[in-house]
Amino acid sequence: PCGQFAAGEGWLYRQDGTEFHGAWNFSPIMITGQPAGRLLGLYRDNTEPRRLLAALLQSQKLGTVGLLAGGVAHDFNNLLTAMIGHAQMVREEAGLSDQLKEDLGVIIDAGHRAALITRDLLTFSRKEVVRSRSIDAAKEVARLRPMLDHLLREDVRLVLELDAEAGWIWMDPTQLERALMNLVVNAVDAQPRGGQIRIVVNRQGDGRICVAVSDDGDGMPPDVAARAFEPFFTTKPAGKGTGLGLASVYGIARQAGGEAALSTRAGVGTTISLLLPATTAVAQEHGEPRQELPVAPARNCVLVV
């Protein structure tokens, strides 16, 4: 009939074989009110809007999970403080058997391991106390090289590609260290047959500084990549990980005012990037005035923490 048209949307293929999500509609071409036997078809590529919407929904989901995780971590941390403290005081009591002291030591060690988990949860939820300062991104990664080398197997090689002019970032150096340790450990696990890990530091076109860790592993399928930053999500066997490594990396990047991005391709490998805002502040050794707390007059005092 005159004016009839069809519309829809779905996954389509370009001429080069790549897939994209698009919308289409077809309508008949009319000449003097009569169908001309031809159809006019219009296609619209919706890939980028869908990607942005998916990124927004993922960010909102992680934000909600972060609020829940942060609240639970705080309450759990308070319980651990009481548990560890009382166990330590009991272990100091006189007359305890060696076996009982050993059992109390197991409780204390388990409490400390649980505390590390709560620390990762607090990092993910961006509620961990940080001591940020301006650091040279390339120099800091180079300084961490010996520590990162200890995380490698004999069949995995670490390569650094550092732009000395990348610039300075404002963050806690211990958090950058934790993030790189988690990323390198994951990259090693992703290459059971050996391979290469690359850490790249450079300045992006938008002015941010990128610290990226890449591996030559098998990559992640889309369903795994979509959940990679979720806390407690892991594809490792039971007992091989808590699923908080990438979650804490995500929290570290966000707490530094940046973001964490993941790029992966099957059979090629995975790259996780920390995109951090550059700072114009310069470290003390480059002329920044040292900030010191006022010193009170000497006197006898007790500090209670």
Side-chain angles (χ1 to χ4, degrees):
C2 179
Q4 183 177 4
F5 67 94
E9 63 177 60
W11 290 100
L12 305 170
Y13 293 90
R14 300 184 179 90
Q15 287 185 345
D16 60 4
T18 58
E19 192 178 39
F20 72 99
H21 192 277
W24 66 86
N25 64 71
F26 293 97
S27 58
I29 297 176
M30 311 296 292
I31 299 178
T32 64
Q34 298 297 322
R38 297 288 188 272
L39 293 176
L40 174 63
L42 298 176
Y43 292 86
R44 184 175 67 251
D45 188 342
N46 288 336
T47 305
E48 184 63 14
R50 282 178 62 88
R51 187 191 68 80
L52 294 175
L53 177 60
L56 174 61
L57 294 176
Q58 177 72 353
S59 176
Q60 291 175 336
K61 180 176 71 172
L62 291 177
T64 302
V65 173
L67 289 175
L68 175 62
V72 171
H74 271 302
D75 292 340
F76 191 55
N77 223 25
N78 292 336
L79 296 174
L80 287 174
T81 301
M83 182 184 76
I84 295 173
H86 281 79
Q88 288 174 333
M89 287 189 293
V90 171
R91 190 170 59 171
E92 298 301 322
E93 293 288 336
L96 297 182
S97 66
D98 292 340
Q99 181 61 49
L100 185 54
K101 289 183 178 181
E102 183 178 343
D103 292 341
L104 287 169
V106 173
I107 294 174
I108 293 170
D109 289 342
H112 285 306
R113 289 197 300 273
L116 293 177
I117 294 177
T118 63
R119 184 185 70 174
D120 286 336
L121 283 174
L122 289 172
T123 300
F124 171 74
S125 60
R126 289 173 278 165
K127 292 184 178 180
E128 186 183 24
V129 176
V130 297
R131 296 173 176 83
S132 299
R133 62 180 178 87
S134 56
I135 55 177
D136 186 314
K139 286 185 178 179
E140 188 66 17
V141 172
R143 184 185 69 82
L144 296 173
R145 172 66 184 266
M147 181 269 295
L148 298 176
D149 283 335
H150 288 295
L151 304 175
L152 307 177
R153 297 194 312 266
E154 292 183 356
D155 57 352
V156 178
R157 186 167 64 99
L158 178 63
V159 176
L160 302 185
E161 298 179 10
L162 310 178
D163 179 3
E165 304 299 324
W168 297 72
I169 54 177
W170 183 264
M171 71 181 302
D172 189 333
T174 60
Q175 287 208 317
L176 179 60
E177 177 181 329
R178 282 176 57 198
L180 288 177
M181 287 181 62
N182 284 329
L183 292 177
V184 169
V185 168
N186 276 5
V188 170
D189 292 341
Q191 302 179 102
R193 298 175 298 277
Q196 176 177 283
I197 298 174
R198 294 170 57 241
I199 300 180
V200 178
V201 176
N202 57 32
R203 182 179 284 266
Q204 302 291 288
D206 58 6
R208 293 185 297 180
I209 295 175
C210 175
V211 180
V213 178
S214 305
D215 64 64
D216 295 332
D218 295 330
M220 302 181 191
D223 57 328
V224 173
R227 302 186 59 190
F229 292 122
E230 293 182 14
F232 300 115
F233 175 76
T234 179
T235 57
K236 298 178 182 178
K240 294 295 185 181
T242 61
L244 288 172
L246 290 184
S248 64
V249 169
Y250 172 87
I252 287 170
R254 298 289 289 176
Q255 198 159 22
E259 61 179 302
L262 182 149
S263 174
T264 183
R265 289 179 58 193
V268 176
T270 300
T271 298
I272 296 179
S273 305
L274 303 180
L275 300 170
L276 306 168
T279 179
T280 56
V282 182
Q284 293 174 4
E285 59 265 29
H286 286 259
E288 185 183 46
R290 182 182 299 273
Q291 296 182 356
E292 297 181 347
L293 295 174
V295 179
R299 68 184 66 182
N300 295 328
C301 61
V302 176
L303 174 64
V304 179
V305 180

